[in-house]
Amino acid sequence: MLEDVVVVGFGTQSRRTLTGSVSRIRGDEVAQIASTNFQSALQGLAPGLSVANSSGMAGAPVRVRVRGTGSIFSSGDPLYIIDGVPVDAENSGLFANTGRGGAPPANPMSNIDPNDVESIEVLKDAAASAIYGARAANGVLLITTKKGKSGKTRINVNVSYGFNEATNKVDYLNGKEYMDLRAESIRNSLATGITFQGNLGGVPAIWLNGGYNQWFSNAVPPLNYDSSVAAQTAAQNINHFEDVFRKGKVITSSISAAGGNDRTQFFLSGNYQGEEGILHRNDFKRFSGRANVDHRINDRFKIGTQVSGSYSKNGVYPIGPLSQFAGGFNPGGFLNATNSVLPIFPKRNPNGTLFGVPQTVNNLVYLDENLYFNTVEQQRYLANIYGEYTITRGLTFRSEVGTDFVNQVNRLYMNPTITAGGTQGTLQGVADSRSRSSNTLNTNTYFTYKTGYKDHSFDVVAGSQYTGSTTRSSWIQGNLLPAAPTLNTTQVAGQISAQDRLDEFSYLSFFGRVNYNYKRKYLLGASVRRDGSSRFGANNRWANFPSLSAGWVLSEESFLRSSKAVSLLKLRASWGLTGNSNPGGVEPIAYGGYGIGGAFYGGAIGYPFRRVPALADNIRWERTEMIDLALDFGFFRNRINGSVNYYRRNTSDLILGAAPPPASGIVGGRNFANIASLRNDGIELNIGSKIIDGKNFKWQVDLNAAYNQNEVVSLGGLAPTAVAFGVNRTFVGMPLSTYWLPMYLGVDPQTGFEVYAGRMQKDGKEVLDANGYPVHDPNNRIVVDPFGRINGTTTNVNWEGISAPVNGKPGLPVWSGGLSNTLSYKGLSFAFLFTFNQGNWIYDEGARTQAFMLQTYRNVRREFVENRWQRPGDIASNPGVFFNPITQNQQSTRFLYRGDFIRLRNVRLSYNLPVTLTRRLRMDRVNFFVNATNLLLFTKFPGWDPEVVGTIGFQDFNNQPQNIAAGQTNSEPPQARNITFGLQLGF
């Protein structure tokens, strides 16, 4: 309702007189969605709040954006504040401390229990967020936890039990189909009549029969395998994914007590959540507790505290490649299950041992903790203590001291028998232990003055804030381990490497805000914050962040005041500046000098000189200027209410790094500078409607939708290749996450070869677009043979030379939102929520690697053999299958898919026992419910899941890929479907 009070920075405000853009999400909306963290549950609940889960794994990180992506190199995450304390929400951690063994990093926000949340306010424009200044450019999420109320002590018990399963499974060829297709690919290659590298069809003689005996001919230790074993195994119709996926269980239980009297109110809670993920060995357990107490000492002075503690343990299944370890060992996991574990591979050898170890072609490796384990344990303690004194009527003084302590420990073990070369290899096992301990101290001290005179009302806040953070990170890794599984620590390793580091930063801030209204009709607001931060160069450590806002409540004017149809009509406008002071990454950027690692100078090892100190001294905040125009409305006594917003975010002084010239003497570093800028334009719509509001039957519908268009304005003279990740480059005049690829046109009917577009030319010269970039020309058709040459010639295709920006197919969504319906009849309630993303395109690297018949072992997706070319004249959607084509290495728009989806995010059916019956049971409330999450998905994306976050490197859940490669994916596990049955009791 528009008379609601919403939480804003350092205070509260009536929504009717609010001039900023704030969305409020109730805690019960969050708690009813099955998730190990509250971030995931926010999806589709507020306009302009974009939430994407990195995978369906229990404990996996989440990408959250407010009004688009506002940075390139730095963090795009919003600022999280829990009960007044800014909290550590960094997913990647230092040295990727919680992302090892091919696993994604743990999510530190997963230790916040959704059942303790009272409300979440999303501060979106500068009028709402500028009071947080240098940390508010990407929006602010204010999380308020539950408090007690005067009166009877109320006890609530919540227990539930449910099941998890994968929402989707990609279809691959079975064993017989694979062997038949392999034979067909060899026939097709020979039939080309082309000699390549001295072989007809490019097929060496030893591979003419399929080459099954060649795959493991050099395996260490030896592995016997040939076509007869392949055929025997194919006949068994083995499904290796049954050793990857499972139907998991979810158990949650919580108990809380809330109550108090006129002087003291309290809220106490204890919670447990246990989840078996959709992948074997992916488990999540959390124990948490909370105590919120408010006490009024006298009429002027009150004190209180919010204290919570939690412990979680996350067992992590490997899902991708691991580049950190020596020798390039790949633990495989989910990526290998999709790529390399063929349906013609047995699970075990005739003697009962695991087949294909250590060649990483056996999923059973990861089910045995004696061979592999990867766990992340996390303790988090969050506390805030406050004192509030009323100096005189309307004038109060409040002081808060809070702390956020996070301790993460990651242990990874791989037995010597599963690493490259087994017990005869160079690694001979991995024992890796990493820890990250972060402690943030925060103080808020401020005055609040609320007064009024006749028709004039003022609300003034002024104060200061100090935040200091200390993070200690360390790791130790051991190799050359004994094969005995009990000897799995670095203590017995024959080779040790280790590193330790300390990172500290602090902020000192002064802020003020004034809100004024006349007759609750004309509204004005202004705020200013001055921030100083140790994170930036000595010449730019202080900056000012102002905001101005105004509102006009037209429904209070005489020409609308008597209207029966119009309950509220309010215009709002705001302008302001905010900053981004979280550059992220491993190395601090605010100082010159030495970095981590080693470098060689004239043959002698020394510390690497990373950047020029004089340049580092001038690094400053990334700054966002935002304009917001809005209309709030309510009709028919607010039975229909909502808002329409237009905003523009101009972000300048973006920090980018370029490799310094060799003459600088800097080894392996980057010179960072504030040189780039980008813009986000958007429209948000939020409508709530009580379709039916009867005595027994009620029907509520809520719709929110957001449109956002992103554009890079300047790169400061850097080339697009300097700001790139995977198949994405950054182009001026285009959105972030623009793809740079050759354009795939289809199949040549005569040959079955792939056809690509050349670049547009005129009069022998290349045609460039308005920004000076090349353009694809679909009329310039290039037929490419399987050996990467222009058909009929020996000229290799210049793939870079025919690549160009892919216009109109960005990696970032253009539209997002949610639609919820709640219907109730007496004690029965039925609610459902749809969420959607539209306008983005996904580059599926997993599809590319599984679209061809390779010389090495590689699965083939069924989609790439359906309607394929098989003989001259075929009009096919897929090219012919050739043996080990050179083109299999080529990324192109063939693997670029529309990422639009609509998901039935949540369905809940609940029943409250009649009051007459609960009274007999001496209870206040008895509620039975069944809840389903991710029940249905509507999409044309053929991959595992259209909800992607740009983690093509699996451990690359850091700023740059999330910002500039948001649409890339590489066989991440799909989202989990959850069905839960539960009981809620109130006493």
Side-chain angles (χ1 to χ4, degrees), residues 892-909:
S892 74
T893 59
R894 181 186 179 193
F895 310 106
L896 192 60
Y897 301 96
R898 187 178 293 276
D900 300 350
F901 71 85
I902 299 174
R903 194 188 296 273
L904 182 52
R905 176 67 170 146
N906 203 68
V907 180
R908 188 179 183 91
L909 178 65

Side-chain angles (χ1 to χ4, degrees), residues 665-682:
I666 297 176
V667 180
R670 288 190 287 181
N671 280 334
F672 293 98
N674 300 89
I675 58 174
S677 58
L678 60 83
R679 178 170 55 242
N680 285 275
D681 286 291

Side-chain angles (χ1 to χ4, degrees), residues 82-83 116-119 143-147 290 292 306:
I82 301 179
D83 291 329
D116 288 344
V117 175
E118 177 68 26
S119 69
I143 297 100
T144 303
T145 60
K146 294 177 179 178
K147 295 184 178 181
R290 172 171 293 278
N292 291 352
Q306 299 93 29

Side-chain angles (χ1 to χ4, degrees), residues 1 99 140 247 387:
M1 297 297 294
V140 181
K247 182 172 286 188

Side-chain angles (χ1 to χ4, degrees), residues 102-228:
N107 181 1
M109 299 302 285
S110 63
N111 272 42
I112 308 302
D113 193 291
N115 290 293
D116 288 344
V117 175
E118 177 68 26
S119 69
I120 298 172
E121 268 77 15
V122 185
L123 312 186
K124 296 184 287 188
D125 72 337
S129 62
I131 200 165
Y132 290 107
R135 307 172 75 179
N138 296 314
V140 181
L141 267 65
L142 300 180
I143 297 100
T144 303
T145 60
K146 294 177 179 178
K147 295 184 178 181
K149 298 179 181 179
S150 301
K152 173 187 173 182
T153 298
R154 299 186 179 278
I155 297 175
N156 288 288
V157 178
N158 188 340
V159 293
S160 64
Y161 181 88
F163 304 94
N164 278 335
E165 64 180 1
T167 53
N168 179 52
K169 294 179 182 178
V170 172
D171 195 10
Y172 292 89
L173 299 186
N174 62 33
K176 184 180 184 305
E177 291 168 331
Y178 178 89
M179 295 187 72
D180 290 343
L181 189 70
R182 193 169 184 86
E184 179 183 324
S185 72
I186 294 172
R187 291 195 304 270
N188 286 345
S189 293
L190 297 176
T192 63
I194 300 173
T195 298
F196 182 72
Q197 295 180 346
N199 299 300
L200 180 62
V203 184
I206 58 175
W207 293 94
L208 287 173
N209 64 350
Y212 299 100
N213 61 335
Q214 298 297 313
W215 279 340
F216 306 113
S217 58
N218 297 317
V220 179
L223 178 63
N224 294 319
Y225 188 80
D226 56 25
S227 59
S228 63

Side-chain angles (χ1 to χ4, degrees), residues 843-909:
Y843 180 78
D844 191 345
E845 176 68 7
R848 182 192 67 80
T849 62
Q850 297 155 18
F852 304 93
M853 180 55 67
L854 304 189
Q855 181 171 289
T856 187
Y857 38 87
R858 185 61 54 87
N859 272 310
V860 178
R861 292 191 188 182
R862 187 173 302 280
E863 65 175 289
F864 295 117
V865 300
E866 293 175 339
N867 191 26
R868 69 183 182 276
W869 181 94
Q870 292 181 285
R871 60 187 59 84
D874 281 355
I875 304 300
S877 56
N878 279 306
V881 180
F882 300 92
F883 184 74
N884 201 39
I886 300 299
T887 52
Q888 59 90 13
N889 288 313
Q890 185 51 51
Q891 297 163 319
S892 74
T893 59
R894 181 186 179 193
F895 310 106
L896 192 60
Y897 301 96
R898 187 178 293 276
D900 300 350
F901 71 85
I902 299 174
R903 194 188 296 273
L904 182 52
R905 176 67 170 146
N906 203 68
V907 180
R908 188 179 183 91
L909 178 65

Side-chain angles (χ1 to χ4, degrees), residues 279-298:
L279 305 181
H280 287 287
R281 303 284 302 282
N282 173 218
D283 304 298
F284 180 87
K285 293 181 180 180
R286 179 182 62 219
F287 301 87
S288 63
R290 172 171 293 278
N292 291 352
V293 180
D294 300 279
H295 176 69
R296 181 172 293 279
I297 296 176
N298 54 45

Side-chain angles (χ1 to χ4, degrees), residues 653-716:
D653 293 339
L654 288 172
I655 298 170
L656 293 183
S664 68
I666 297 176
V667 180
R670 288 190 287 181
N671 280 334
F672 293 98
N674 300 89
I675 58 174
S677 58
L678 60 83
R679 178 170 55 242
N680 285 275
D681 286 291
I683 298 172
E684 296 171 353
L685 171 66
N686 185 49
I687 300 176
S689 176
K690 294 181 180 179
I691 304 296
I692 299 175
D693 191 21
K695 181 179 180 181
N696 293 322
F697 182 64
K698 301 179 185 296
W699 180 13
Q700 171 80 29
V701 178
D702 294 285
L703 168 68
N704 72 81
Y707 167 85
N708 184 82
Q709 187 65 53
N710 177 283
E711 181 182 337
V712 178
V713 177
S714 172
L715 291 176

